[in-house]
Coordinates of all heavy atoms in Angstrom, one line a residue:
M1 N 39.4 69.4 -66.4 CA 38.6 68.6 -67.4 C 37.6 67.7 -66.6 O 38.0 67.1 -65.7 CB 39.5 67.9 -68.4 CG 40.4 68.9 -69.2 SD 41.6 67.9 -70.1 CE 40.5 67.1 -71.4
F2 N 36.5 67.6 -67.2 CA 35.5 66.7 -66.7 C 34.7 66.0 -67.8 O 34.6 66.5 -68.9 CB 34.5 67.4 -65.9 CG 35.0 68.2 -64.7 CD1 35.4 69.6 -65.0 CD2 35.1 67.7 -63.5 CE1 35.9 70.4 -64.0 CE2 35.6 68.4 -62.4 CZ 36.1 69.8 -62.7
D3 N 34.1 64.9 -67.5 CA 33.0 64.3 -68.5 C 32.1 63.5 -67.4 O 32.4 63.0 -66.4 CB 33.8 63.2 -69.3 CG 33.9 61.8 -68.6 OD1 35.1 61.6 -67.9 OD2 33.1 60.9 -68.8
C4 N 30.9 63.4 -67.9 CA 29.8 62.6 -67.2 C 28.7 62.5 -68.0 O 28.3 63.4 -68.9 CB 29.5 63.4 -65.9 SG 28.5 62.4 -64.7
V5 N 28.0 61.3 -67.9 CA 26.7 61.1 -68.6 C 25.5 61.8 -67.8 O 24.4 61.7 -68.5 CB 26.4 59.6 -68.7 CG1 27.5 58.9 -69.5 CG2 26.2 59.0 -67.3
L6 N 25.7 62.4 -66.8 CA 24.6 62.9 -66.0 C 23.7 63.8 -66.7 O 22.5 63.7 -66.8 CB 25.1 63.5 -64.8 CG 24.1 63.6 -63.6 CD1 23.6 62.3 -63.2 CD2 24.8 64.3 -62.4
P7 N 24.2 64.9 -67.4 CA 23.3 65.9 -68.1 C 22.4 65.2 -69.1 O 21.3 65.6 -69.3 CB 24.2 67.0 -68.6 CG 25.6 66.3 -68.6 CD 25.6 65.4 -67.5
T8 N 22.9 64.3 -69.9 CA 22.2 63.6 -71.0 C 21.3 62.5 -70.4 O 20.1 62.5 -70.7 CB 23.2 63.1 -72.0 OG1 24.2 62.3 -71.3 CG2 23.8 64.2 -72.8
R9 N 21.8 61.7 -69.6 CA 21.0 60.5 -69.0 C 20.0 61.0 -68.2 O 18.8 60.7 -68.3 CB 21.9 59.5 -68.3 CG 21.1 58.4 -67.7 CD 22.1 57.5 -67.0 NE 22.9 56.8 -67.9 CZ 24.0 56.1 -67.4 NH1 24.3 56.0 -66.1 NH2 24.8 55.4 -68.3
S10 N 20.3 62.0 -67.3 CA 19.2 62.6 -66.5 C 18.2 63.3 -67.3 O 16.9 63.3 -66.8 CB 19.9 63.5 -65.4 OG 20.7 62.9 -64.5
G11 N 18.6 64.0 -68.2 CA 17.7 64.8 -69.1 C 16.7 63.8 -69.7 O 15.5 64.1 -69.6
R12 N 17.1 62.7 -70.2 CA 16.2 61.8 -70.8 C 15.2 61.2 -69.9 O 14.1 60.8 -70.2 CB 16.9 60.6 -71.6 CG 17.8 61.1 -72.7 CD 18.3 59.9 -73.5 NE 19.1 58.9 -72.7 CZ 20.3 58.9 -72.4 NH1 21.0 59.9 -72.8 NH2 20.8 57.8 -71.8
N13 N 15.6 61.2 -68.6 CA 14.7 60.6 -67.5 C 14.0 61.7 -66.8 O 13.3 61.4 -65.8 CB 15.6 59.8 -66.5 CG 16.1 58.5 -67.1 OD1 15.4 57.9 -67.9 ND2 17.3 58.2 -67.0
G14 N 14.0 63.0 -67.2 CA 13.2 64.0 -66.7 C 13.8 64.9 -65.7 O 13.1 65.8 -65.1
Q15 N 15.1 64.8 -65.5 CA 15.7 65.8 -64.5 C 16.4 66.9 -65.2 O 17.2 66.6 -66.2 CB 16.7 65.0 -63.6 CG 17.4 65.9 -62.6 CD 18.4 65.3 -61.7 OE1 19.4 64.7 -62.2 NE2 18.2 65.4 -60.3
A16 N 16.1 68.1 -64.9 CA 16.7 69.3 -65.5 C 17.5 70.0 -64.5 O 17.1 70.1 -63.3 CB 15.6 70.2 -66.0
F17 N 18.6 70.4 -64.9 CA 19.6 71.2 -64.0 C 19.3 72.7 -64.2 O 19.2 73.1 -65.4 CB 21.0 70.8 -64.3 CG 21.4 69.4 -64.0 CD1 21.3 68.4 -65.0 CD2 21.6 69.1 -62.6 CE1 21.6 67.1 -64.6 CE2 21.9 67.7 -62.4 CZ 21.9 66.7 -63.2
T18 N 19.2 73.5 -63.1 CA 18.9 74.8 -63.2 C 19.7 75.6 -62.2 O 20.4 75.0 -61.4 CB 17.4 75.1 -63.0 OG1 17.2 75.1 -61.5 CG2 16.4 74.2 -63.6
H19 N 19.8 76.9 -62.4 CA 20.5 77.7 -61.5 C 20.0 77.6 -60.1 O 20.6 77.9 -59.0 CB 20.4 79.2 -61.8 CG 21.3 79.5 -63.0 ND1 20.9 79.3 -64.4 CD2 22.5 80.1 -63.1 CE1 21.9 79.7 -65.1 NE2 22.8 80.2 -64.4
H20 N 18.8 77.2 -59.9 CA 18.1 77.1 -58.6 C 18.0 75.7 -58.1 O 17.3 75.3 -57.2 CB 16.7 77.7 -58.7 CG 16.6 78.9 -59.4 ND1 17.1 80.1 -58.8 CD2 16.1 79.3 -60.5 CE1 16.9 81.1 -59.6 NE2 16.3 80.6 -60.7
G21 N 18.9 74.8 -58.7 CA 19.0 73.4 -58.3 C 18.2 72.5 -59.3 O 17.5 73.1 -60.2
P22 N 18.4 71.2 -59.3 CA 17.7 70.3 -60.2 C 16.2 70.2 -60.0 O 15.7 70.2 -58.8 CB 18.4 69.0 -59.9 CG 18.9 69.0 -58.5 CD 19.2 70.5 -58.3
I23 N 15.5 70.0 -61.0 CA 14.1 69.8 -60.9 C 13.7 68.5 -61.6 O 14.3 68.2 -62.6 CB 13.3 71.0 -61.3 CG1 13.4 71.1 -62.9 CG2 13.5 72.2 -60.6 CD1 12.5 72.2 -63.5
N24 N 12.6 67.9 -61.2 CA 12.0 66.7 -61.9 C 10.8 67.2 -62.7 O 9.8 67.4 -62.2 CB 11.7 65.6 -61.0 CG 11.1 64.4 -61.7 OD1 10.9 64.4 -62.9 ND2 11.0 63.3 -61.0
I25 N 11.1 67.4 -64.0 CA 10.0 67.9 -64.9 C 8.7 67.1 -65.0 O 7.7 67.5 -65.5 CB 10.6 68.2 -66.3 CG1 9.8 69.3 -67.0 CG2 10.6 67.0 -67.2 CD1 10.0 70.7 -66.4
R26 N 8.8 65.8 -64.5 CA 7.7 64.9 -64.5 C 6.6 65.3 -63.4 O 5.5 64.9 -63.5 CB 8.1 63.5 -64.3 CG 8.9 62.7 -65.3 CD 9.3 61.5 -64.9 NE 9.9 60.7 -66.1 CZ 9.2 59.9 -66.9 NH1 7.9 59.9 -66.8 NH2 9.8 59.3 -67.9
N27 N 7.1 66.0 -62.5 CA 6.3 66.3 -61.3 C 5.0 67.1 -61.7 O 5.0 68.0 -62.5 CB 7.0 67.1 -60.2 CG 8.0 66.4 -59.5 OD1 8.1 65.1 -59.6 ND2 8.9 67.0 -58.7
A28 N 3.9 66.8 -61.1 CA 2.6 67.3 -61.4 C 2.6 68.7 -61.3 O 1.7 69.5 -62.1 CB 1.4 66.7 -60.6
K29 N 3.3 69.4 -60.5 CA 3.3 70.9 -60.3 C 3.8 71.6 -61.5 O 3.5 72.8 -61.6 CB 4.1 71.2 -59.1 CG 5.6 71.1 -59.3 CD 6.3 71.6 -57.9 CE 7.8 71.4 -58.0 NZ 8.4 71.9 -56.8
F30 N 4.4 70.8 -62.5 CA 4.8 71.6 -63.7 C 3.8 71.5 -64.8 O 4.0 72.0 -65.9 CB 6.1 71.1 -64.2 CG 7.2 71.3 -63.2 CD1 8.0 70.3 -62.6 CD2 7.5 72.5 -62.6 CE1 9.0 70.4 -61.7 CE2 8.5 72.8 -61.8 CZ 9.3 71.7 -61.2
A31 N 2.7 70.7 -64.6 CA 1.8 70.4 -65.7 C 1.1 71.7 -66.4 O 0.9 71.7 -67.6 CB 0.6 69.5 -65.2
E32 N 1.0 72.7 -65.6 CA 0.5 74.0 -66.1 C 1.4 75.2 -65.9 O 1.0 76.4 -65.9 CB -0.9 74.3 -65.7 CG -1.9 73.2 -66.0 CD -3.3 73.6 -65.7 OE1 -3.6 74.7 -65.4 OE2 -4.1 72.6 -65.7
D33 N 2.7 74.9 -65.7 CA 3.6 76.0 -65.4 C 4.2 76.5 -66.7 O 4.8 75.9 -67.6 CB 4.9 75.4 -64.7 CG 5.9 76.4 -64.2 OD1 6.0 77.4 -64.8 OD2 6.6 76.0 -63.1
Q34 N 3.8 77.9 -67.0 CA 4.1 78.5 -68.3 C 5.5 79.2 -68.3 O 5.9 79.8 -69.3 CB 3.1 79.4 -68.7 CG 1.7 78.7 -68.9 CD 0.7 79.6 -69.5 OE1 0.9 80.1 -70.7 NE2 -0.4 79.9 -68.8
G35 N 6.3 79.0 -67.3 CA 7.7 79.6 -67.2 C 8.6 78.6 -68.0 O 8.4 77.5 -68.2
P36 N 9.9 79.1 -68.3 CA 10.9 78.3 -68.9 C 11.5 77.4 -67.8 O 11.3 77.4 -66.6 CB 12.0 79.3 -69.4 CG 11.8 80.4 -68.3 CD 10.4 80.5 -68.0
I37 N 12.2 76.2 -68.3 CA 12.8 75.3 -67.4 C 13.7 76.1 -66.4 O 13.6 75.8 -65.2 CB 13.7 74.3 -68.2 CG1 12.8 73.4 -69.1 CG2 14.6 73.4 -67.3 CD1 13.5 72.4 -69.9
D38 N 14.5 77.1 -66.9 CA 15.3 77.8 -66.0 C 15.2 79.3 -66.3 O 15.5 79.6 -67.5 CB 16.8 77.4 -66.2 CG 17.7 78.0 -65.2 OD1 17.4 79.0 -64.5 OD2 18.9 77.6 -65.1
D39 N 14.8 80.1 -65.5 CA 14.5 81.5 -65.8 C 15.8 82.3 -66.1 O 15.7 83.5 -66.5 CB 13.6 82.2 -64.7 CG 14.3 82.2 -63.4 OD1 15.5 81.8 -63.2 OD2 13.5 82.7 -62.4
R40 N 16.9 81.8 -65.9 CA 18.2 82.5 -66.1 C 19.0 81.8 -67.2 O 20.2 82.1 -67.4 CB 18.9 82.5 -64.8 CG 18.5 83.5 -63.7 CD 19.2 83.4 -62.5 NE 20.6 83.4 -62.6 CZ 21.5 83.2 -61.6 NH1 21.0 82.8 -60.4 NH2 22.8 83.3 -61.8

């Protein structure tokens, strides 16, 4: 069993967890990225 505020707190601050590692959705490279947060 586990608990942690990380997925909720990080999410509110712009960090998304994905199968390919975490990404910062604030980064400029995502401004015109038409893919989903995580393609899987």
Side-chain angles (χ1 to χ4, degrees):
M1 299 171 69
F2 303 89
D3 81 279
C4 191
V5 298
L6 200 61
T8 48
R9 180 180 292 167
S10 293
R12 296 194 304 276
N13 290 316
Q15 184 180 53
F17 295 97
T18 81
H19 285 82
H20 312 290
I23 62 171
N24 185 347
I25 204 72
R26 290 178 173 274
N27 288 350
K29 67 179 181 179
F30 298 122
E32 297 187 19
D33 188 332
Q34 296 191 61
I37 293 175
D38 183 350
D39 58 8
R40 286 172 51 192

